[in-house]
Amino acid sequence: MKRSPEERAEAHLQKLRTRFEDPKIRGLWADRSARRRRLFLALFLTLLGTAALTSLALSQSTLTVLGSSLALLVVLIPLNITFQVLEAGSRTMHGYELVVDERQRAEIESARSLGHSITSALLILAVAIAGAAHLLSTNPAVDHTVPIGVFLPVAYLVLVVHRYFPVAYLAWTQPDETSGD
């Protein structure tokens, strides 16, 4: 049975409503201190992932590359799950902005705008660092070069900040939710 685009869109919105308005998810989001603990966990996992990626990118040892790859995989899975829980609670999943009220939509768009500004600043900083590294490595008086692998963790951090900053910002700034009872 083929459904119309409107029926598929409504089914998708209903799926989002079911996921985001689940009392368990709302309970995970309602307590501000619990949200902040999850956010600190996510930030810690991001830093661990960055360290593992740096080790992976800069290592010459096969054993270190294998260990770093395994560590990166082990860190990325809980990082993704933690941010998905925060994203579900903040209602920032793509498509859900059609369901939230105007105040919530404005808060989400404000967080996204701030996230894009921060990502832009990080990208400008990364380009400046890359330019400085290139100038330093091409200087005849300098006898060392900057390994290209150092830019992989920078790109990873820019990607994580771009994707998850709105969620992190809302998790940090939103007050406790009151129960609907």
Side-chain angles (χ1 to χ4, degrees):
M1 178 166 96
K2 189 152 178 133
R3 297 189 307 180
S4 71
E6 293 83 18
E7 290 173 330
R8 285 187 300 207
E10 184 57 39
H12 177 69
L13 287 177
Q14 186 58 38
K15 186 171 106 175
L16 288 173
R17 280 187 198 108
T18 302
R19 179 175 181 206
F20 290 118
E21 301 307 326
D22 178 25
K24 183 179 176 185
I25 294 293
R26 297 303 336 139
L28 290 173
W29 179 260
D31 182 27
R32 186 180 197 178
S33 60
R35 264 186 307 201
R36 287 184 172 180
R37 283 192 303 273
R38 285 183 196 87
L39 183 59
F40 281 124
L41 172 66
L43 294 175
F44 177 72
L45 291 171
T46 300
L47 291 176
L48 282 178
T50 304
L53 193 57
T54 303
S55 176
L56 178 66
L58 299 178
S59 176
Q60 300 296 323
S61 164
T62 305
L63 187 58
T64 305
V65 168
L66 184 63
S68 297
S69 299
L70 184 60
L72 187 60
L73 180 66
V74 167
V75 166
L76 288 179
I77 291 171
L79 174 68
N80 191 31
I81 291 169
T82 304
F83 270 123
Q84 281 183 349
V85 168
L86 289 170
E87 190 173 48
S90 67
R91 299 176 173 125
T92 56
M93 181 74 71
H94 179 68
Y96 200 71
E97 63 270 3
L98 302 172
V99 179
V100 297
D101 62 30
E102 289 180 21
R103 179 193 57 80
Q104 291 169 323
R105 192 175 307 126
E107 289 172 349
I108 291 169
E109 286 306 314
S110 174
R112 284 183 181 154
S113 177
L114 183 59
H116 285 298
S117 298
I118 289 174
T119 301
S120 297
L122 284 175
L123 285 171
I124 290 169
L125 181 64
V127 168
I129 290 171
H134 176 71
L135 287 175
L136 285 174
S137 66
T138 57
N139 185 352
V142 178
D143 61 348
H144 64 278
T145 60
V146 177
I148 193 68
V150 79
F151 298 107
L152 190 59
V154 173
Y156 167 76
L157 283 176
V158 169
L159 177 68
V160 169
V161 167
H162 177 72
R163 177 68 178 96
Y164 294 118
F165 182 83
V167 174
Y169 178 77
L170 291 172
W172 189 261
T173 60
Q174 292 296 303
D176 286 342
E177 286 187 2
T178 57
S179 65
D181 298 335

